[in-house]
Amino acid sequence: MPYLEDFEVGQTHRFGRYEVTRDEVLDFARRWDPQPFHLSDEAAAKTHFGSLSASGWHTAAMTMAMTVAEADTREGGTLGAVGIDALRWLKPVKPGDVLRVESEVLEVRRSEKRPAMGSVRSRTTVFNQQDEPVMRFEPIVLYRRRAG
């Protein structure tokens, strides 16, 4: 991951590719979000989803997997996150979808209490293979500074 000084407001980054599988949707739902429309084609057909769809939390987890995979290819100092604002699931994610991520930096702040670090707030949007946004949120991530 980059350091705090590598970020500027307005900067954008596109990354990731994640193929959503039926088995993964079912496995995640069984363990973490066992609602009928995540577990059964028949139950999902009776809802506004129309067919089996991934849990929104699964979509968030897949996004995290893409983010970590991208971070492993970059050098620097991420220190975790303080939270997520404005999380919205915009469109159901279905088995067979292929997801990708776009992120835009909204704010870069140096920490007054901890001079060796700061935070970056960004708007992250996850898209499916048809370039339709399926999820949007604003993570606030902590980064090391090159010089404290």
Side-chain angles (χ1 to χ4, degrees):
M1 295 291 291
Y3 291 91
L4 184 70
E5 293 86 355
D6 295 325
F7 292 96
E8 297 177 12
V9 171
Q11 184 178 28
T12 60
H13 186 58
R14 293 175 177 87
F15 62 93
R17 183 177 193 284
Y18 198 103
E19 294 184 38
V20 182
T21 69
R22 179 180 179 79
D23 287 345
E24 207 173 50
V25 168
L26 293 170
D27 289 345
F28 187 96
R30 282 185 200 106
R31 184 159 184 185
W32 304 110
D33 192 355
Q35 298 182 74
F37 46 84
H38 297 317
L39 293 168
S40 160
D41 292 306
E42 295 76 22
K46 297 175 186 174
T47 70
H48 65 284
F49 294 113
S51 63
L52 188 71
S53 65
S55 164
W57 296 113
H58 185 193
T59 302
M62 291 182 278
T63 302
M64 189 66 197
M66 287 185 281
T67 301
V68 170
E70 176 68 7
D72 284 347
T73 66
R74 303 172 80 188
E75 192 176 315
T78 183
L79 298 168
V82 297
I84 293 175
D85 291 337
L87 173 63
R88 293 287 183 261
W89 293 299
L90 306 170
K91 185 173 181 63
V93 171
K94 309 281 186 166
D97 282 352
V98 179
L99 306 178
R100 66 179 180 82
V101 180
E102 292 185 11
S103 184
E104 177 186 1
V105 175
L106 301 176
E107 179 181 62
V108 179
R109 293 180 55 180
R110 295 166 104 171
S111 174
E112 292 182 22
K113 293 181 179 180
R114 297 182 179 145
M117 65 192 305
S119 64
V120 175
R121 184 169 57 90
S122 60
R123 179 179 302 113
T124 299
T125 306
V126 181
F127 293 89
N128 65 18
Q129 70 281 359
Q130 296 170 335
D131 286 329
E132 299 168 319
V134 299
M135 185 175 77
R136 184 172 292 126
F137 61 100
E138 294 182 8
I140 304 162
V141 180
L142 300 174
Y143 289 92
R144 288 185 180 96
R145 292 187 55 218
R146 281 196 176 87

